Amino acid sequence: DAGITQSPRHKVTETGTPVTLRCHQTENHRYMYWYRQDPGHGLRLIHYSYGVKDTDKGEVSDGYSVSRSKTEDFLLTLESATSSQTSVYFCATGQGIGTDTQYFGPGTRLTVL
Amino acid sequence: QKEVEQNSGPLSVPEGAIASLNCTYSDRGSQSFFWYRQYSGKSPELIMFIYSNGDKEDGRFTAQLNKASQYVSLLIRDSQPSDSATYLCAVGQAGTALIFGKGTTLSVSS
């Protein structure tokens, strides 16, 4: 395993509140990713990072922001949570992009009421 | 738009049989192909990857790649109930993020 942890593992929040999910890795991988997984949609990329302070948008980035101030930490923020953001969120890391293996964290189950 | 297609299943096989999971992709420039296994309520874990046309074997698992047909498959020999999971196909090329299929659910009955 790539030594990836996510916190919190479960969270229930109310519509309109900000939420921050944290991903921490111990493998010194350059790339870090945030995905959401929903029934019928599979894994969808939200944002990814290719270095400290270097990030890019994925397929479903609206309503989400990210930050990476240290190699080992990648934060995902829902600026104003909506019920459509109820999902399971996975962090992943990898040494390269596109041709290298991605390793996944355990996931965070987020419920927005 | 780049797409990765998988039959959602469920694919049901008896214990000891060969399970065949298939994946097609739309981008001819794709260079790398990954199979992940995901148990219910857990995160995806890598089973194997393949980069070149042909077969690649790892224990009971064989990945097959045919770039001309834009097709990659995963064979599981001597299927076990513990193989029951969702299998995700992922396709990539240098400089762009992997694209995942929606997964095929495999059920192995004892």
Side-chain angles (χ1 to χ4, degrees):
Chain A
D1 289 354
I4 306 168
T5 56
Q6 293 184 230
S7 59
R9 294 293 312 280
H10 301 272
K11 186 170 182 66
V12 180
T13 191
E14 294 188 350
T15 297
T17 60
V19 176
T20 295
L21 308 182
R22 178 177 182 250
C23 177
H24 179 78
Q25 60 137 336
T26 59
E27 295 297 309
N28 201 33
H29 283 162
R30 178 183 176 189
Y31 287 85
M32 298 185 75
Y33 308 83
W34 277 108
Y35 291 89
R36 60 177 290 175
Q37 188 174 41
D38 305 286
H41 290 280
L43 279 166
R44 293 183 290 175
L45 183 65
I46 304 171
H47 283 280
Y48 69 95
S49 169
Y50 47 96
V52 173
K53 299 185 179 178
D54 293 322
T55 65
D56 205 351
K57 295 180 179 180
E59 177 188 358
V60 290
S61 60
D62 287 348
Y64 301 95
S65 62
V66 290
S67 66
R68 192 172 179 194
S69 58
K70 297 186 291 184
T71 298
E72 57 267 34
D73 290 327
F74 193 31
L75 304 181
L76 176 70
T77 297
L78 288 65
E79 293 136 9
S80 177
T82 68
S83 58
S84 65
Q85 293 176 312
T86 292
S87 186
V88 178
Y89 291 86
F90 289 104
C91 173
T93 74
Q95 199 58 267
I97 183 170
T99 54
D100 289 336
T101 300
Q102 287 184 8
Y103 301 92
F104 285 83
T108 294
R109 182 172 295 278
L110 176 67
T111 302
V112 184
L113 302 176
Chain B
Q1 185 172 348
K2 301 175 184 179
E3 294 182 337
V4 176
E5 300 286 344
Q6 296 181 255
N7 189 322
S8 62
L11 173 65
S12 297
V13 301
E15 184 175 359
I18 296 175
S20 177
L21 304 162
N22 305 314
C23 173
T24 59
Y25 59 95
S26 63
D27 187 354
R28 284 197 172 274
S30 298
Q31 299 170 289
S32 57
F33 307 86
F34 301 84
W35 283 100
Y36 286 83
R37 177 177 62 201
Q38 186 175 24
Y39 292 114
S40 180
K42 301 296 184 181
S43 58
E45 56 180 335
L46 180 73
I47 297 175
M48 60 192 308
F49 57 86
I50 185 168
Y51 295 140
S52 303
N53 274 332
D55 294 359
K56 179 180 179 182
E57 186 174 317
D58 184 1
R60 296 187 295 114
F61 299 95
T62 299
Q64 300 176 316
L65 175 61
N66 183 327
K67 289 186 178 180
S69 299
Q70 296 175 239
Y71 177 95
V72 58
S73 65
L74 179 70
L75 301 179
I76 306 175
R77 291 182 299 281
D78 187 24
S79 295
Q80 301 297 310
S82 59
D83 294 325
S84 298
T86 297
Y87 290 81
L88 305 176
C89 171
V91 175
Q93 56 183 258
T96 62
L98 293 182
I99 299 173
F100 285 82
K102 295 179 181 179
T104 297
T105 299
L106 172 66
S107 177
V108 181
S109 56
S110 57

